Each structure stands twice: as C-alpha cells, then as structure tokens.
Amino acid sequence: MSNALVALPVELGDRRYDILVGEGLIGDVARHVAPVLKRPRVVIVTDRAVADLHLARLEVSLGAAGIRHEHVVLPPGEATKEFGQLARLLDALLDFRIDRNTTLIALGGGVIGDIGGFAASIVLRGIDYIQIPTTLLAQVDSSVGGKTAVNTRHGKNLVGTFYQPRLVLADLGALATLPRRELLAGYGEVVKYGLINDPAFFDWLEGHGPALLAGDIAALGHAVLTSCRAKALIVAADERETGDRALLNLGHTFAHALEAETAYGGELLHGEAVAIGMVLAFALSVRLGLCLAADLERVRRHFHAVGLPTTLPRLGQAPHVPAPARLLARMASDKKAGDGQLTFILARGIGRSFIARDVDPGAVADLLTEAAELCK
Ligand code: NAD
Ligand code: GLY
C-alpha cells in the first residue's frame, strides 16, 4: 500500500460507518471528521503520552477549520480503564458544558478507545464519538466494533456497552512513535485474524511480520486493512456477540485470567497476554485431539521468531507463575463463562477456529499444570 487513503465500511444499517486507513490522517483530521459532526464542536479524550506526541497536530487542524475543541488528558496504561477515571472523564465532559450535539474523539490506544467510548455511550444518555486509534492493537481491533468497557476488581471489561463510533481514522503514521513492545503486542492481535479463519494471511505474516515490526508502512497498511476488513465483516454479521463474533476472543479466556493476575499494572500487556492465550488455546486443541501438534508448533515458532511470549509469564513482586487453580477460578468468572461452562475458542488447525462451549475443566487444569511445570 502507498499513501492512498482506503475507506472500509462497517455495514450496520443506519449505524454504518467507515474505517479510514492511510497516512497523515491526524494532521488533516478536520476534513475527515467534518461530514459526521452534528455541530462543529468536539472534546478530545487522550492519554498523556499520546497527547505529547499527537494532540497538537489534531488541534491545529480542528482550529483551522473552525471546529471548537477541548481536551481531557488521562494517565496512560491499562490501570486507567476503571471507575475512578471514568467518573473523572464524565465530570470533565460535563464541566465543558457539552450538549447532545457534541462529538467525543478518542485519540489513543485501546484503553482510551474503550473508556472514551463508554463515556460517550452514557454521558447525556449518549453522544456521538469518533475513534482515532494510535496503537497497532487499536487500529486492528479495539477501535472497530463498538465494544466499550472498564475493568473492575471482578475482572476485565466487565462493565461496558456496545456503542458504535461514527467514524474510525487509522493513521498509519501515528505508529511510528509507538514503542516496539507496544507494536509487538498489537501484532499479537493481527496474527489472531490469520489463526481464526485466514490461513493465507498467517502465511503472509510469517513472511512479512519482521518487516512490519520494523515499521515498513506498506506491510503495516496491508495488515491493518486485512484485519479491519475481517473485523468489519464479523461485527456486521454479529454485532452483539451472540454467535461468530466470539471467535475474536481466540486466546482471550486465558489472557483475561493472566491480566487479572497483574491487577492491570502493566506487567503484561493485553496483546502479550493474548499471544500466550492463543498458544494455550492451540495447545488445548492438540490435547483434546482436535488439532495437529505441527500447527501448534508453527504458531509457537512464529511468535518466538518475532519476540512474542509463548509460555506462562512470571508475575508479581516475587515473580512466580500463576497457580493453575487461580487461573481456572478467574476463567470461571470471565464473562465468556456461560451456565457454569467454560467457553474457549479452539482450533482444528491454522485458520480453522471454532467456538467450544463445553470444554472439560480437567483438561484445562492439566494443560495449565503442564505449562506451569515447563516454566520451573
Ligand atoms: P493502551 O491504550 O494502553 O496503549 C498502549 C501504550 O501506548 C500507552 O502507554 C499509550 O500511552 C501508548 N501509545 C498509544 N499510542 C501511541 C503512539 N502512537 N506513540 C507512542 N505511544 C503511544 O493499550 P492498547 O494495547 O492500545 O489497548 C489495550 C486495551 O484495548 C485493553 O484494555 C484491551 O482490553 C482493549 N481492547 C478492546 C477491544 C474492543 O473491542 N473494545 C479489543 C481489543 C482490546
Ligand atoms: N475484540 C473482541 C471483539 O471486538 O469482539
């Protein structure tokens, strides 16, 4: 892909919207957002790190176009996705005396997108919002599809809404300032699309992943477009996750349990947890006789080659591998557990994932015990 701007639709009837993918969109933001604003007034929600790098360009563009703008800056990191910060954000929006014609712009990674989208969905009983994702993870996943949330002490993303944005602007240029570890974590979610139902994309990633992670803009563009196209199709078919949207949770039942172990303190990034979770999901599939060990090895080899984690992490101040029983208990309280059953996305091979609602907890416990032993 060159510098061309590509628009991908998310077909949701009268709530349809476009995902614009290209370079330099933030500096030219007014032109792109103006058609979807009810009035020329926005409040930008962002985090400190993103504000320092990208907020000024966005505000210059809005100012030049006569679009009134204010901003709220939250602390960076997963710990921001919580009730206290949500309350702070809602108060700030109301302090600005917004009205129902004001549009919120979420400028940042998945944390800002999730909490910003949630705030937009409840303040004044709902105002419009626009996603401007600045991490790879947010460009390929969290900015599309309208899931909003905060974490609670009971677990990840347990309070939130389905609330679609009016527009998503994925500026590939913004990824140039992203730390390598964050880029890699987002790459985990890119690989997910190959593992779910696109084996040709996984092949492509095996060849082009290193260039993508070195910042090759053409490779990044191809990966963002392929991922967004896949997500847009799934969301259009199953907005509320009553069916196939759950496939996007490949690796997430394990990942959410691991993230909860860190109390969302940044020790393990979401994308890193998802990478470990996807390896465990393939390992569970092999254990259950559903998938060839060669496919598991191929996934592991690719993650290892690019530098993503593939084994259970050591967490905490006196680092230790989380006990299998603790992880199982956390999985049981994840919202993907239904009727007391553990739901996993399992695989019959690369690109052949499916939803399994009746997984034997004994098999999961054995897998986790074996995985923990390997880390000793
Ligand atoms: P994040 O929002 O915490 O961003 C990661 C870090 O990168 C932050 O420190 C941020 O300040 C910094 N950053 C962001 N953009 C930058 C840039 N361009 N240059 C330099 N630094 C930059 O994390 P994330 O990985 O983007 O998102 C993870 C969150 O997304 C998790 O809470 C996860 O649950 C959520 N998520 C939601 C969905 C959904 O469908 N809503 C899907 C997947 C993940
Ligand atoms: N990231 C999972 C979903 O959007 O459904």
Side-chain angles (χ1 to χ4, degrees):
M1 203 184 94
S2 65
N3 294 348
L5 174 69
V6 180
L8 297 173
V10 183
E11 297 293 358
L12 286 167
D14 59 1
R15 288 171 300 115
R16 84 175 285 293
Y17 55 94
D18 281 331
I19 308 164
L20 302 187
V21 182
E23 277 183 88
L25 304 189
I26 292 179
D28 197 18
V29 71
R31 184 161 69 88
H32 300 298
V33 302
V36 303
L37 299 182
K38 285 181 176 148
R39 295 265 191 285
R41 180 173 183 200
V42 301
V43 177
I44 303 149
V45 180
T46 188
D47 73 31
R48 175 45 55 209
V50 178
D52 290 348
L53 292 162
H54 300 290
L55 181 60
R57 266 182 306 136
L58 185 122
E59 291 193 314
V60 166
S61 170
L62 294 171
I67 297 171
R68 180 176 165 193
H69 53 90
E70 280 128 333
H71 61 248
V72 184
V73 179
L74 300 175
E78 186 69 32
T80 290
K81 250 176 73 171
E82 54 94 35
F83 285 124
Q85 294 295 340
L86 177 68
R88 214 191 118 212
L89 171 55
L90 292 169
D91 275 337
L93 293 172
L94 296 171
D95 287 344
F96 288 138
R97 306 230 175 273
I98 60 163
D99 63 33
R100 284 200 172 133
N101 295 316
T102 306
T103 296
L104 185 151
I105 292 181
L107 171 74
V111 165
I112 291 300
D114 280 12
I115 193 171
F118 190 20
S121 74
I122 55 177
V123 73
L124 304 182
R125 299 207 171 87
I127 62 170
D128 286 352
Y129 78 114
I130 291 168
Q131 292 272 17
I132 305 188
T134 61
T135 62
L136 181 60
L137 184 142
Q139 294 194 355
V140 300
D141 192 351
S142 62
S143 64
V144 176
K147 276 190 183 175
T148 82
V150 292
N151 306 321
T152 84
R153 69 184 171 79
H154 293 281
K156 179 110 173 136
N157 296 337
L158 287 180
V159 178
T161 51
F162 285 100
Y163 194 64
Q164 299 296 337
R166 296 278 290 121
L167 180 69
V168 178
L169 289 184
D171 183 345
L172 300 170
L175 303 178
T177 58
L178 197 60
R180 162 104 188 164
R181 186 178 169 203
E182 297 290 350
L183 191 67
L184 197 51
Y187 183 77
E189 298 274 19
V190 173
V191 177
K192 185 180 77 176
Y193 293 102
L195 297 181
I196 290 174
N197 62 6
D198 192 346
F201 186 45
F202 185 79
D203 292 349
W204 184 88
L205 289 169
E206 284 181 316
H208 295 82
L212 183 161
L213 289 164
D216 181 309
I217 205 81
L220 280 165
H222 179 72
V224 172
L225 282 171
T226 305
S227 304
C228 285
R229 211 173 271 125
K231 180 144 187 189
L233 278 178
I234 290 182
V235 168
D238 179 25
E239 183 182 7
R240 296 256 163 174
E241 199 175 302
T242 53
D244 277 358
R245 182 164 180 171
L247 291 170
L248 295 171
N249 296 328
L250 176 63
H252 283 58
T253 305
F254 293 108
H256 285 176
L258 290 170
E259 286 183 271
E261 284 292 304
T262 70
Y264 312 113
E267 222 178 332
L268 186 67
L269 301 180
H270 176 69
E272 293 170 342
V274 169
I276 297 166
M278 289 192 289
V279 171
L280 289 171
F282 267 74
L284 183 57
S285 305
V286 171
R287 179 172 282 271
L288 294 171
L290 297 162
C291 174
L292 293 176
D295 285 328
L296 164 64
E297 277 321 305
R298 205 173 147 201
V299 176
R300 257 199 201 125
R301 211 169 32 244
H302 182 54
F303 285 178
H304 187 70
V306 295
L308 276 168
T310 58
T311 55
L312 284 178
R314 291 178 186 278
L315 302 170
Q317 286 189 328
H320 63 282
V321 177
R326 279 181 67 90
L327 293 176
L328 264 175
R330 291 204 185 275
M331 289 181 205
S333 64
D334 195 83
K335 59 186 173 332
K336 287 180 279 303
D339 300 333
Q341 290 181 332
L342 286 174
T343 297
F344 286 90
I345 310 307
L346 299 179
R348 296 195 173 88
I350 287 172
R352 297 177 62 208
S353 297
F354 66 99
I355 303 164
R357 300 197 191 280
D358 49 358
V359 177
D360 170 18
V364 182
D366 290 349
L367 172 79
L368 290 172
T369 304
E370 195 178 282
E373 285 297 322
L374 284 175
C375 298
K376 282 190 177 152

